[in-house]
């Protein structure tokens, strides 16, 4: 059947199994929106109208983080596209599979500085995995097929498809390619067997090993394999900020998070290990601290699907290029061959004891001070009340770190945050995406008063579609993380980090028709949380917390892990 | 150290900016660059020279390989290869002694005179960078009025390709070398 490009786009989405689109209309995408209102229902596609394009990208990213499926966003040309750039860059840094459709001026006007024209493929070239400008309507369906393939395979990432308005108007016979072959793009899935063999040999021989799991384990779904590896070899296991939940926090071998705000015991373990086994992590500077001091006595195994990640930041002794899940399976098999019959290595007792001693010496802690609500306690209570089972999306700042430290993620894909880009404003719209994807799960957005004010217009979105996100606002009246650095590293000079002039958030939520609760004292926390979490529909829960609480431990920027400040 | 890197790319819209953008975004330098079609329709070859330590070159190779529409990346410097670049120069060549001097240099360097006027020649010469530099240096005192250089293109030596093929067939896992270099 002949149909116009706009309809072809929607039919293609159906072929890709897309059920949810986050978007915002405008002139260049009007044909698409017209087809949406006519056909979305029969195609089984629901479009969520956000209140700022950035939120459509964050929503799609949250959707992707909470499911592993490709998120889809649709925005108009020019300002629609430029508003989306932060969201695209975020997905790029965190390797999230997204396909972003942007409108573009008609092909005959491209390059003319036409109304709402922006060179979106140019602007996003360095923050997409790949991008396309569709110049002939025959290319539309194959391009969409290719975009979804590129976004979701290999190291996932955002792919942008720029759609000139005439491409959505022209008519052509629709047929969707069943398969796609990109001769220049062949991600390496299997680890090279010799490399795997060598790595496993080192794993067996290590006396003080640490297993270090990153976001790549989520991308590959390598959960079972990672757990088995850890258990078979009795490996203390740490997760990066992005990897949390890939290994259960309550597992006896779990060390929690490492890096700038990681546990003392975790960082000491990493610092003193003789073998660091990295699966799907990238030795980010927030993890390593001063690179020349990082795990100096250790050999490194680095498993990554992206060969360019290996050796980029640290030297690597045992590189393995491949998919985290596949390589971990290969390792398990190799282990069996080298050890025979699933033998478990128990000989690391001294190492485990040492780590336990470090943990006992300096666990995570906070001090109670009368009535004042301690933010750490709020997260602690959130964990207790939700039994660690909620989908938790954090914004960026102190509250993000307390959540990462204290929520204790046992299940995969329950932890959403902007790790690589650190984009304030992520938490709330990402939780919207997660709640859309997983309507049966409790979705909580833990946000700071700074980041929330960047996206609070999305209260209208959650109200409009009755999306049951619970917003847990940790309100300290400061740009807390900035204030903490100013306190610790700039002699208390609080330069432009005080944001105590702010709306009455409860009234604000109320004006959007969103139920809201507030706690101002320690003894109100539990009750208010329970009430908020048990109220159906979208809810805002505001916690007025201690204004100048700090996140500890902290490795100052550029310092070595061993020089972390404990209090 | 200077490296000559050869990329086979899909000749698609924006391909050059993808490669150039990668270099600028990651702080690498492109010293020279050549792009031209190959025998295969839709496929172009880019030959570029850059410099950096082993770590930087490894990153350049892998990051460019990661670009979705790059088919192949080769560090030509790693194996025996032939490099050539072309230079065209407008030089003083006044009738008389000067003209004879230029012509003798042309002969020595196996260059060509491709345009002649009363007082100047346009010369064309190909060779590796060293030879081109030497030619330029010798012409300088005579007076170079204008110059264009292409920067090098490169090709792996035939004998080496054959030897490599035998080795690859022998080796159980040829990618290992790539991985181990990382
Ligand atoms: C878009 C953006 N702008 C600026 C920053 C720098 N930044 C990091 S944390 C932070 C403060 C966040 O304050 P708030 O949202 O109140 O959270 P808190 O740290 O108080 O928990 C700022 C400004 C950022 N990460 N993202």
């Amino acid at each position: 059947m002949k149909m116009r490009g706009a309809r072809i786009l929607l039919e293609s989405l159906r072929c890709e199994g897309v059920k949810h689109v986050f978007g915002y209309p405008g002139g260049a995408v009007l044909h698409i929106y017209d087809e949406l209102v006519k056909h979305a229902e029969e195609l089984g596609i629901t479009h969520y109208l956000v209140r700022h394009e950035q939120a459509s990208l964050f929503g799609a990213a949250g959707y992707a983080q909470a499911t592993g499926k490709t998120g889809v966003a649709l925005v108009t040309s020019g300002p629609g596209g430029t508003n989306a750039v932060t969201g695209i860059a975020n997905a790029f840094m965190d390797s999230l599979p997204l396909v972003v459709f942007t409108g573009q001026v008609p092909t005959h006007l491209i390059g003319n500085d036409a109304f709402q024209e922006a060179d979106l493929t140019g602007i996003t070239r360095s923050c997409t995995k790949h991008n396309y400008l569709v110049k002939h309507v025959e290319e539309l369906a194959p391009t969409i097929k290719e975009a979804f393939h590129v976004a979701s395979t290999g190291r996932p990432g955002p792919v942008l498809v720029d759609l000139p308005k005439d491409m959505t108007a022209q008519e052509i016979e629709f047929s969707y390619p069943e398969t796609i072959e990109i001769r220049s793009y062949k991600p390496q899935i299997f680890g090279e067997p010799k490399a795997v063999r060598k790595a496993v040999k080192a794993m067996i021989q290590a006396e003080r090993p640490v297993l270090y799991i990153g976001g790549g384990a989520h991308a590959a779904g390598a959960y079972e394999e990672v757990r088995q590896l850890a258990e078979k070899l009795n490996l203390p296991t740490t997760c990066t900020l992005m990897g949390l939940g890939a290994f259960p926090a309550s597992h006896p071998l779990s060390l929690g998070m490492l890096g700038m705000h990681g546990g003392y015991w975790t960082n000491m373990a990493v610092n003193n290990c003789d073998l660091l086994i990295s699966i799907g992590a990238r030795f980010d500077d927030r993890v390593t601290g001063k690179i020349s001091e990082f795990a100096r006595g250790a050999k490194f195994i680095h498993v990554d699907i992206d060969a360019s990640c290996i050796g980029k930041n640290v030297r690597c002794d045992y590189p393995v290029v491949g998919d985290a899940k596949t390589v971990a399976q290969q390792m398990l098999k190799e282990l069996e061959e080298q050890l025979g019959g699933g033998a478990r290595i128990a000989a690391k007792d001294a190492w485990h004891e040492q780590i336990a001693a470090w943990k006992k010496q300096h666990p995570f802690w906070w001090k109670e001070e009368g009535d004042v609500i301690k933010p750490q306690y709020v997260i602690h209570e959130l964990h207790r009340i939700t039994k660690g089972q909620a989908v938790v999306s954090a914004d960026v700042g102190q509250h993000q770190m307390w959540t990462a430290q204290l929520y204790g993620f046992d299940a995969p894909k329950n932890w959403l945050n902007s790790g690589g880009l650190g984009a304030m404003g992520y938490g709330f719209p990402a939780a919207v995406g997660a709640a859309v994807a997983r309507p049966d799960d409790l979705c909580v957005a833990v946000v700071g008063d700074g980041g929330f004010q960047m996206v609070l217009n999305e209260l209208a979105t959650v109200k409009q579609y009755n999306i049951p996100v619970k917003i847990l606002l940790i309100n300290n009246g400061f740009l807390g993380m900035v204030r903490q650095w100013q306190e610790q590293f700039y002699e208390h000079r609080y330069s432009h980090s005080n944001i105590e002039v702010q709306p009455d958030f409860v009234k604000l939520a109320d004006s959007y028709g969103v139920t809201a609760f507030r706690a101002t004292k320690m003894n109100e926390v539990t009750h208010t949380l329970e009430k908020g979490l048990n109220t159906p529909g979208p809810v805002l829960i505001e916690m007025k917390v201690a204004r100048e609480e700090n996140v500890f431990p902290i490795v100052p920027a550029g310092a070595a892990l061993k020089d972390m400040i404990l209090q | 150290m200077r490296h000559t890197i050869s990329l086979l790319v899909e000749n698609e819209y924006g391909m050059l900016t993808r490669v150039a953008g990668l270099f600028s975004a990651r702080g690498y330098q492109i010293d020279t660059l050549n792009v031209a079609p190959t025998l295969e329709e839709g496929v172009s070859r880019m030959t570029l020279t850059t410099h950096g330590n082993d770590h930087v070159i490894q990153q350049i190779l892998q990051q460019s390989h990661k670009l979705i529409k790059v088919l192949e990346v080769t560090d030509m410097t790693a194996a025996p290869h032939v490099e050539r670049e072309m230079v065209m120069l407008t030089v003083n060549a006044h009738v008389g002694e000067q003209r004879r001097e230029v012509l003798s240099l042309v002969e020595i360097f196996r260059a060509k005179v491709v345009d002649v006027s009363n007082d100047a020649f346009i010369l064309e010469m190909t060779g590796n960078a060293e030879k081109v530099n030497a030619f330029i240096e010798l012409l300088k005192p005579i007076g170079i009025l204008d110059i264009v250089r292409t920067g090098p293109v490169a090709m792996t030596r035939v004998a080496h390709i054959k030897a490599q093929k035998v080795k690859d067939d022998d080796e159980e896992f040829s990618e290992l070398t790539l991985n181990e270099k990382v």
Side-chain angles (χ1 to χ4, degrees):
Chain A
M1 195 175 90
K2 266 198 165 186
M3 43 179 85
R4 60 175 172 168
R7 175 82 184 276
I8 288 178
L9 166 62
L10 300 190
E11 295 286 343
S12 304
L13 292 182
R14 185 185 56 81
C15 293
E16 288 295 335
V18 173
K19 300 257 178 285
H20 307 278
V21 175
F22 302 88
Y24 205 92
V29 287
L30 278 177
H31 297 318
I32 302 170
Y33 274 84
D34 190 43
E35 294 292 342
L36 264 174
V37 77
K38 286 195 282 188
H39 297 292
E41 209 171 307
E42 76 193 55
L43 293 173
I45 297 172
T46 311
H47 175 277
Y48 293 90
L49 173 69
V50 293
R51 294 302 189 268
H52 184 289
E53 285 86 353
Q54 181 180 281
S56 69
L57 268 293
F58 286 164
Y63 187 92
Q65 275 201 303
T67 61
K69 289 193 239 162
T70 303
V72 178
L74 167 63
V75 301
T76 192
S77 69
T82 53
N83 270 353
V85 168
T86 301
I88 298 172
N90 173 70
F92 186 64
M93 291 291 274
D94 285 347
S95 307
L96 301 175
L98 296 192
V99 175
V100 186
F101 295 98
T102 49
Q104 183 52 274
V105 300
T107 45
H108 70 274
L109 288 180
I110 290 179
N112 285 12
D113 302 321
F115 177 63
Q116 292 194 328
E117 177 178 3
D119 172 17
L120 293 177
T121 48
I123 289 172
T124 61
R125 200 162 281 134
S126 61
C127 61
T128 49
K129 184 172 172 187
H130 195 60
N131 60 23
Y132 302 87
L133 171 63
V134 179
K135 281 183 159 171
H136 304 282
V137 70
E138 315 83 73
E139 292 165 6
L140 181 56
T143 302
I144 295 171
K145 178 84 189 169
E146 195 168 308
F148 274 89
H149 176 69
V150 170
S152 59
T153 52
R155 179 178 180 172
V159 175
L160 180 138
V161 182
D162 204 16
L163 299 169
K165 191 168 183 181
D166 49 332
M167 292 301 109
T168 59
Q170 286 174 19
E171 292 200 350
I172 188 178
E173 199 68 35
F174 171 67
S175 80
Y176 200 63
E178 297 214 328
T179 54
I180 191 97
E181 156 81 15
I182 310 172
R183 57 182 177 172
S184 55
Y185 173 69
K186 302 243 167 12
Q188 187 172 339
I189 305 299
F190 277 94
E192 198 285 303
K194 264 190 205 164
V196 172
R197 200 169 308 144
K198 279 199 215 163
V200 168
K201 199 164 166 202
M203 283 158 77
I204 292 172
Q205 283 167 352
E207 284 170 17
R208 300 184 313 280
V210 168
L211 181 56
Y212 152 52
I213 304 300
H218 285 297
Y223 310 119
E224 183 55 27
E225 291 80 2
V226 161
R227 197 180 50 75
Q228 281 192 32
L229 268 183
E231 287 175 356
K232 288 227 161 85
L233 284 168
N234 205 8
L235 304 170
T237 301
T238 174
C239 292
T240 66
L241 179 68
M242 295 306 294
L244 290 176
F247 188 78
S250 59
H251 195 288
L253 288 168
S254 170
L255 298 181
M257 181 174 75
L258 79 167
M260 184 173 273
H261 291 294
Y264 169 77
W265 64 98
T266 323
N267 283 339
M268 290 309 276
V270 170
N271 206 42
N272 291 285
C273 69
D274 65 350
L275 181 71
L276 189 61
I277 307 150
S278 163
I279 299 186
R282 59 190 177 91
F283 295 86
D284 170 76
D285 54 282
R286 283 294 194 260
V287 158
T288 62
K290 189 174 178 185
I291 207 103
S292 56
E293 299 276 327
F294 178 69
R296 283 177 74 168
K299 299 256 188 212
F300 296 144
I301 295 175
H302 192 171
V303 178
D304 207 303
I305 197 158
D306 178 356
S308 72
C309 263
I310 300 179
K312 183 173 67 183
N313 299 336
V314 294
R315 74 202 141 73
C316 178
D317 305 280
Y318 305 97
V320 186
V321 181
D323 167 75
K325 187 182 177 82
T326 310
V327 173
Q329 280 168 351
Q330 288 176 276
M331 285 178 155
L332 286 168
K333 225 161 140 210
E334 187 62 37
L335 254 186
E336 217 159 281
E337 269 164 39
Q338 291 191 27
L339 285 178
R344 192 168 170 277
I345 307 247
K348 299 178 186 102
D349 289 352
W351 178 229
H352 286 276
E353 276 161 28
Q354 169 69 73
I355 295 174
W358 281 323
K359 182 162 187 179
K360 208 161 159 206
Q361 220 177 330
H362 300 289
F364 288 136
W365 62 276
W366 68 88
K367 207 162 82 201
E368 307 222 338
E369 282 165 319
D371 265 357
V372 193
I373 300 179
K374 286 301 176 115
Q376 300 94 327
Y377 175 69
V378 176
I379 305 300
H380 176 266
E381 280 299 277
L382 176 69
H383 177 264
R384 193 185 56 76
I385 293 166
T386 60
K387 304 192 174 63
Q389 296 303 308
V391 178
V392 179
S393 169
D395 210 80
V396 173
Q398 293 183 307
H399 63 279
Q400 173 194 25
M401 292 302 135
W402 285 316
T403 311
Q405 289 179 338
L406 299 167
Y407 189 79
F409 292 91
D410 273 341
K413 298 197 164 64
N414 277 358
W415 166 235
L416 283 48
N417 79 132
S418 168
L421 192 67
M424 282 170 73
Y426 183 74
F428 176 28
V432 172
V436 164
R438 292 168 55 177
D440 297 332
D441 292 310
L442 174 64
C443 295
V444 183
V446 181
V447 299
D449 44 319
F452 183 55
Q453 288 187 79
M454 288 192 176
V455 288
L456 53 72
N457 42 356
E458 297 307 318
L459 283 169
T461 310
V462 291
K463 179 64 190 174
Q464 178 170 347
Y465 301 99
N466 193 30
I467 300 170
V469 170
K470 315 300 176 201
I471 306 157
L472 177 54
L473 171 62
I474 308 293
N475 188 354
N476 54 16
F478 274 111
L479 297 172
M481 189 58 94
V482 171
R483 185 209 57 73
Q484 174 172 351
W485 282 48
Q486 290 171 338
E487 175 190 326
Q488 289 187 284
F489 311 120
Y490 296 87
E491 297 167 325
H492 277 86
R493 287 185 298 276
Y494 291 173
S495 176
H496 303 272
S497 52
N498 190 336
I499 51 166
E500 61 192 336
V501 175
Q502 52 181 219
D504 178 325
F505 287 104
V506 170
K507 277 192 196 153
L508 179 87
D510 187 52
S511 74
Y512 277 100
V514 169
T515 315
F517 305 98
R518 174 187 291 137
T520 56
K521 293 196 192 81
M522 258 319 232
N523 62 11
E524 296 166 359
V525 169
T526 306
H527 172 64
T528 310
L529 259 179
E530 280 170 346
K531 212 164 48 181
L533 296 174
N534 289 327
T535 304
V539 177
L540 177 96
I541 308 162
E542 181 187 11
M543 297 283 163
K544 286 267 201 190
V545 301
R547 293 206 64 200
E548 300 189 35
E549 191 70 13
N550 288 334
V551 184
F552 287 116
I554 175 171
V555 180
L561 290 188
K562 66 175 167 41
D563 297 328
M564 62 195 320
I565 301 171
L566 294 166
Q567 51 185 294
Chain B
M1 187 184 140
R2 175 179 169 281
H3 284 249
T4 306
I5 292 169
S6 173
L7 298 104
L8 271 186
V9 303
E10 298 284 2
N11 184 14
E12 280 182 11
Y13 142 89
M15 202 54 221
L16 179 59
T17 48
R18 283 187 205 282
V19 174
L22 168 75
F23 273 71
S24 67
R26 295 196 181 264
Y28 315 137
Q29 180 82 33
I30 296 178
D31 296 329
T32 69
L33 174 67
N34 264 284
V35 193
T38 61
L39 290 181
E40 192 171 347
E41 197 173 332
V43 176
S44 292
R45 182 178 297 281
M46 292 186 184
T47 310
L48 58 86
T49 59
T50 182
H51 56 269
N53 58 28
D54 289 355
H55 175 73
V56 168
I57 299 298
Q58 265 310 315
Q59 275 295 302
I60 288 178
L61 296 175
Q62 282 173 339
Q63 296 289 357
S64 0
H65 192 69
K66 205 162 104 180
L67 293 174
I68 304 293
K69 298 292 171 165
V70 169
L71 288 147
E72 205 181 287
V73 185
T74 320
D75 182 5
M76 303 301 283
T77 319
H81 66 287
V82 184
E83 268 184 32
R84 288 291 178 271
E85 65 176 291
M86 188 176 89
V87 62
M88 289 205 291
L89 308 115
T90 309
V91 292
N92 282 331
H94 293 283
V95 179
E97 181 55 29
Q98 194 176 49
R99 191 162 274 218
R100 276 192 296 280
E101 198 185 333
V102 172
L103 284 173
S104 84
L105 282 174
V106 164
E107 195 167 337
I108 294 166
F109 279 84
R110 281 190 272 166
K112 263 193 249 168
V113 180
V114 291
D115 191 43
V116 185
S117 75
N118 278 342
D119 50 6
F121 286 160
I122 296 181
L123 307 180
E124 170 201 312
M125 204 275 280
T126 61
N128 61 21
E130 231 175 13
K131 184 176 163 194
V132 171
N133 287 341
F135 192 49
I136 292 168
E137 284 311 310
L138 286 166
L139 287 169
K140 265 187 190 166
I142 301 169
I144 298 174
L145 305 175
D146 202 359
I147 180 167
V148 276
R149 271 175 93 156
T150 60
V153 290
M155 222 172 231
T156 309
R157 285 190 187 276
V158 184
H160 182 75
I161 297 175
K162 286 195 178 145
Q164 191 63 39
K165 172 123 187 35
V166 175
K167 200 168 144 241
D168 285 356
D169 292 345
D170 277 358
E171 269 218 13
E172 201 183 345
F173 308 107
S174 55
E175 289 97 319
L176 184 63
T177 38
L178 175 97
N179 290 356
E180 283 190 330
K181 262 194 295 182
V182 176

